Amino acid sequence: MKFSIESLYSWYRNLLRNPKYRWWVILGTLAYLVSPFDILPDFVPVVGQIDDVFLLTLLVSEVSGLVIEGWKARKGEVGTEASNTSEGSTSTGSTIDVDSVSVK
């Protein structure tokens, strides 16, 4: 079995993207970050923080990616609903508020 950082990253990312395990992975990562037991002990200057920084960076980037994907998916659903209602009919079920400004 070949071990690499890339395979570890893929495994972590796949677990995080699985809704069944997502919260367990997030909680486990946060517990590891506050735990005194680390792969690289924190009492070793600089080297001790490398695994924590790496894991925190990985968690933040993946969770923010999931949030952005979810936001885009919701925004895309709203946009397609609006375009579908305006294509074939003259009336829509939504109200639009318009503020008027006088120009002199």
Side-chain angles (χ1 to χ4, degrees):
M1 182 174 174
K2 185 179 175 182
F3 176 79
S4 69
I5 296 294
E6 185 178 341
S7 65
L8 185 64
Y9 170 72
S10 296
W11 173 76
Y12 184 83
R13 183 177 184 182
N14 290 336
L15 272 179
L16 195 58
R17 290 184 175 272
N18 185 339
K20 185 176 180 180
Y21 302 114
R22 182 173 299 146
W23 286 109
W24 288 108
V25 173
I26 292 171
L27 291 175
T29 302
L30 294 175
Y32 177 82
L33 291 173
V34 299
S35 170
F37 304 106
D38 284 339
I39 294 172
L40 299 171
D42 287 341
F43 63 84
V44 178
V46 180
V47 177
Q49 283 74 33
I50 289 175
D51 64 333
D52 293 339
V53 170
F54 174 73
L55 200 56
L56 185 62
T57 304
L58 185 61
L59 178 68
V60 168
S61 66
E62 288 302 317
V63 169
S64 65
L66 288 171
V67 168
I68 290 171
E69 286 175 12
W71 180 73
K72 284 182 180 179
R74 287 191 186 136
K75 187 177 180 182
E77 290 173 5
V78 171
T80 57
E81 289 172 4
S83 65
N84 288 342
T85 57
S86 63
E87 285 177 2
S89 66
T90 57
S91 65
T92 61
S94 61
T95 304
I96 300 173
D97 291 332
V98 179
D99 293 329
S100 62
V101 178
S102 63
V103 179
K104 294 183 180 184

